[in-house]
Amino acid sequence: MCFAAGAAAASPLCAQRTRSVEVVPGQITRVVSDTMGTPYPVPFPRAQTYRALRAVYDDLKLPAEVRDSVAGQVGVVSFYRRGDFAGRQISTWLSCGDSMAGPNADNYRVYMYLMSVIRPEGEGGVSVRTVLMAGAVNVTEGARQAMPCESTGRLELRIHKLLLAKAAGL
């Protein structure tokens, strides 16, 4: 419920939820990231899920610089890799096109955004939505525009499966 701050107030004072808008190399426009990704159900309380999610990021050696228990977020806004990531070749997780040398995801520098967000769902459970966005740059040809990459969905699913196993063991 919103209340006016007085007779002279032109608009009500309400807590407004800010949208997470990201600029990802290779993407043509800014991306509203909280609308992306598949929400996977997790039948555990939020605090337990958050601890398990942090452990999953640590186990996969994902550079989680965002660890916000209040917002229910674990992830990293901007980082890059070349060749491998989360224990596998980058092309396992991302499709960035192909060249004569093979998948661009494995041969180019790939700039990424990775974020997992926990949201309450029903009685005692939550949902976790993980978003992986990226763009790839062929650094051997000098400064070129990043090409867009698409997630294969495999990393998001792997994070979810590992999360369920970790949360069950906590």
Side-chain angles (χ1 to χ4, degrees):
M1 179 182 288
C2 296
F3 297 97
S11 65
L13 298 174
C14 297
Q16 293 184 8
R17 183 174 158 229
T18 59
R19 304 299 300 259
S20 179
V21 179
E22 307 300 331
V23 177
V24 179
Q27 305 296 323
I28 295 172
T29 61
R30 292 180 178 161
V31 180
V32 180
S33 62
D34 62 358
T35 64
M36 301 181 71
T38 302
Y40 290 106
V42 178
F44 300 105
R46 181 181 168 126
Q48 183 176 350
T49 302
Y50 177 77
R51 287 191 307 273
L53 186 58
R54 283 186 55 174
V56 167
Y57 269 68
D58 291 342
D59 288 354
L60 292 175
K61 296 178 178 48
L62 301 173
E65 63 186 27
V66 175
R67 292 175 179 252
D68 186 344
S69 61
V70 174
Q73 295 180 333
V74 177
V76 61
V77 176
S78 180
F79 67 104
Y80 69 88
R81 291 287 188 274
R82 188 167 183 174
D84 69 315
F85 171 63
R88 304 236 170 92
Q89 288 196 298
I90 296 176
S91 61
T92 304
W93 317 123
L94 293 166
S95 174
C96 304
D98 296 307
S99 65
M100 293 180 70
N104 293 336
D106 296 335
N107 299 305
Y108 289 11
R109 181 180 289 172
V110 180
Y111 292 86
M112 293 178 254
Y113 166 92
L114 177 66
M115 190 67 62
S116 296
V117 180
I118 302 167
R119 294 283 180 249
E121 291 286 333
E123 210 42 50
V126 297
S127 69
V128 176
R129 181 186 306 254
T130 299
V131 177
L132 174 63
M133 296 184 286
V137 175
N138 184 353
V139 293
T140 60
E141 294 182 10
R144 295 187 59 197
Q145 184 72 4
M147 64 179 54
C149 298
E150 292 184 15
S151 173
T152 63
R154 291 183 187 123
L155 180 61
E156 296 90 324
L157 189 57
R158 185 172 184 205
I159 289 171
H160 176 68
K161 287 179 178 180
L162 291 171
L163 171 63
L164 290 175
K166 286 267 186 212
L170 288 178

